[in-house]
């Protein structure tokens, strides 16, 4: 049985969508596992005037999809308190401080605090600064959790980081990237360390190319307003895709701890091959979905809250390269888009003929499925590795790497309570990712694209396939 953790959570944006869809179910998962038990409290804050009881009712409602044990859900909800709070009003932090201190005493939480920003990004700096100026930090631990987007560009990310670090040190900041909470991404490093042939194979001697795809079948649905300010490059490539590439490309860490992993990740992001504006057109493709073939599914430009002439991209494919001894010359093809034929998150590692010298058969591709398959798994040449008779690359038995198939937010919440930053993004990694992506953004912002350029329910614009064909390669997942 896991040890009980003690903390007061202060959730800024406690009445919002993220809190109800992800955070409360994740905290409930921890409650059911006994990780949260007696010594925790949650303060939800937002401007609207809710009572504790009303708030608790919304918390229980958010759990109905995952449980029907009313007694347990009600007992869990008793740990929740609501504070009407405008994040721009200093006086409200004084009331918040009082409530948090009272709950520290009542629930004996050792004055541990987790501040969770489930609120619009423009408020992140304001909240952090008020936590400092109104003296909310305690003698227990104080951890700040911050959701994406972390800035809109390199400069704005630096500015945001500057405002957070006036109050919180780097080891108190947990930058969420929920892909780093997914089982298969988390297990990748462990699988690499356990499987020597696999680890030995990950370099430019044996790998022809690596492909990372995060595709969605849905369009923007009701999030057109948000999407108009983001686009796939900021929403998926700068954070999730870059972090997944980092997990594949990093060197073997000395140990499986946060410091060792971030040390090798830092190096890999620092070795991203410089991209010039002229290379953007050669190495990156952007797209925006039109209607589907039947005309039943709307084009992006016809979605609610989307400009009728919008230039926002809903698809990106690109070739990322590293200037390193290990990976020099190996293209990492990345791709993410909406309205593609299926939802899929996968990594495909394509081997070359030289890999035969370490026992990997010709034409081998190792595919790591991150989602949506339940629990995810590894394919060798498209077949579940357990049945593939692939006798050289041996992965650990499934039970070894899926001890607890937890939902991403649940697993990341445990890391936060443990003070473990292993699966969070550190500032230096983020900085280098932003520098890289900014070159693409600036080039694209200076030109008008010919949109829409792919039909809904297709694999994106033709140029995405041509990008690989130019190198004599092709997408492994090609529908
Ligand atoms: N939803 C997701 O799946 C998701 C996924 C990844 C990242 N995120 C990020 O998570 C954050 C929250 O997103 P969301 O979808 O949950 O948004 P949301 O549903 O609009 O919730 C925003 C929350 O902020 C509160 N709020 C707004 N202005 C406030 C103010 N001046 N003072 C205090 N509270 C204020 C709102 O309540 P009141 O109006 O009552 O004040 C509400 O509780 C954003 O940064 C978003 O980018 C969300």
């Amino acid at each position: 049985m896991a040890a009980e953790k003690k903390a007061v959570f202060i959730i800024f944006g406690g009445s919002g969508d993220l809190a109800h869809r992800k955070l409360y179910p994740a905290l409930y998962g921890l409650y059911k596992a006994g990780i949260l038990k007696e010594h925790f409290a949650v303060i939800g804050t937002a401007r609207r005037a809710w009572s504790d009881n009303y708030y608790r009712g919304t918390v229980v409602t958010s759990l109905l999809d995952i449980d029907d044990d009313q007694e347990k859900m009600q007992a869990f909800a008793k740990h929740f308190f609501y504070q009407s709070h405008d994040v721009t009003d200093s006086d409200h932090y004084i009331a918040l401080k009082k409530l948090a201190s009272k709950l520290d005493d009542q629930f004996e939480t050792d004055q541990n605090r987790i501040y969770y920003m489930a609120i619009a990004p423009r408020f992140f700096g304001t909240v952090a600064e008020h936590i400092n100026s109104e003296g909310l930090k305690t003698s227990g631990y104080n951890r700040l959790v911050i959701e994406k987007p972390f800035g809109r560009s390199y400069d704005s990310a630096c500015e945001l980081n500057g405002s957070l670090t006036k109050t919180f040190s780097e080891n108190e900041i947990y930058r969420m990237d929920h892909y780093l909470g997914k089982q298969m991404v988390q297990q990748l490093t462990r699988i690499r360390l356990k499987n020597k042939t696999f680890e030995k194979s990950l370099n430019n001697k044996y790998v022809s190319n690596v492909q990372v795809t995060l595709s969605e079948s849905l369009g923007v649905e009701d999030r057109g307003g948000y999407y108009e300010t983001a686009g796939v490059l900021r929403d998926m490539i700068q954070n999730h895709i870059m972090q997944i590439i980092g997990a594949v490309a990093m060197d073997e860490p000395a140990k499986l701890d946060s410091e060792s992993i971030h040390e090798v990740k830092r190096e890999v992001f620092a070795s991203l091959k410089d991209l010039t504006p002229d290379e953007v057109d050669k190495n990156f493709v952007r797209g925006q979905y039109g209607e589907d073939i039947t005309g039943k599914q709307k084009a992006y430009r016809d979605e609610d809250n989307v400009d009728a002439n919008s230039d926002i991209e809903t698809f990106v494919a690109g070739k990322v390269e590293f200037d390193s001894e290990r990976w020099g010359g190996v293209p990492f093809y990345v791709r993410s888009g909406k309205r593609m034929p299926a939802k899929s998150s996968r990594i495909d590692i394509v081997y070359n003929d030289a890999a035969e010298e370490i026992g990997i058969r010709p034409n081998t591709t190792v595919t790591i499925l991150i989602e949506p398959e339940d629990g995810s798994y590894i394919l060798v040449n498209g077949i579940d590795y357990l049945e593939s008779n692939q006798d050289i690359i041996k992965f650990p038995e499934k039970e070894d790497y899926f001890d607890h198939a937890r939902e991403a937010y649940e697993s990341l919440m445990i890391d936060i309570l443990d003070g473990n930053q292993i699966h969070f993004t550190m500032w230096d990694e983020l900085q280098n990712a932003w520098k890289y992506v900014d070159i693409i953004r600036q080039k694209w912002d200076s030109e008008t694209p010919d949109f829409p350029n792919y039909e809904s329910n297709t694999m994106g614009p033709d140029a995405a396939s041509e990008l690989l064909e130019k190198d004599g390669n092709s997408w492994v997942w090609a529908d």
Side-chain angles (χ1 to χ4, degrees), residues 13 15-18 21 46-48 85-87 118-119 147-148:
S15 62
D17 175 69
L18 177 75
R21 258 186 338 104
R47 289 166 306 177
R48 68 198 69 178
H85 175 100
D86 187 322
V87 293
I119 201 163
E147 282 283 345
K148 75 171 188 183

Side-chain angles (χ1 to χ4, degrees), residues 11-16 44-51 82-89 92-93 118-120 122-123:
I11 301 188
F12 296 96
S15 62
T45 80
R47 289 166 306 177
R48 68 198 69 178
W50 278 1
S51 66
Y82 186 78
Q83 171 84 45
S84 179
H85 175 100
D86 187 322
V87 293
T88 58
D89 186 332
H92 286 180
Y93 290 86
I119 201 163
R122 67 180 183 284
F123 295 131

Side-chain angles (χ1 to χ4, degrees), residues 52-97:
D52 286 345
N53 269 344
Y54 185 84
Y55 176 45
R56 289 171 187 168
T58 70
V59 171
V60 170
T61 306
S62 75
L63 307 175
L64 293 177
D65 279 351
I66 53 172
D67 205 3
D68 56 6
D69 184 342
Q70 273 296 333
E71 206 177 315
K72 196 158 207 107
M73 292 191 288
Q74 295 296 343
F76 170 70
K78 284 214 171 86
H79 291 259
F80 283 67
F81 299 82
Y82 186 78
Q83 171 84 45
S84 179
H85 175 100
D86 187 322
V87 293
T88 58
D89 186 332
S90 300
D91 287 347
H92 286 180
Y93 290 86
I94 296 167
L96 187 58
K97 181 180 174 177

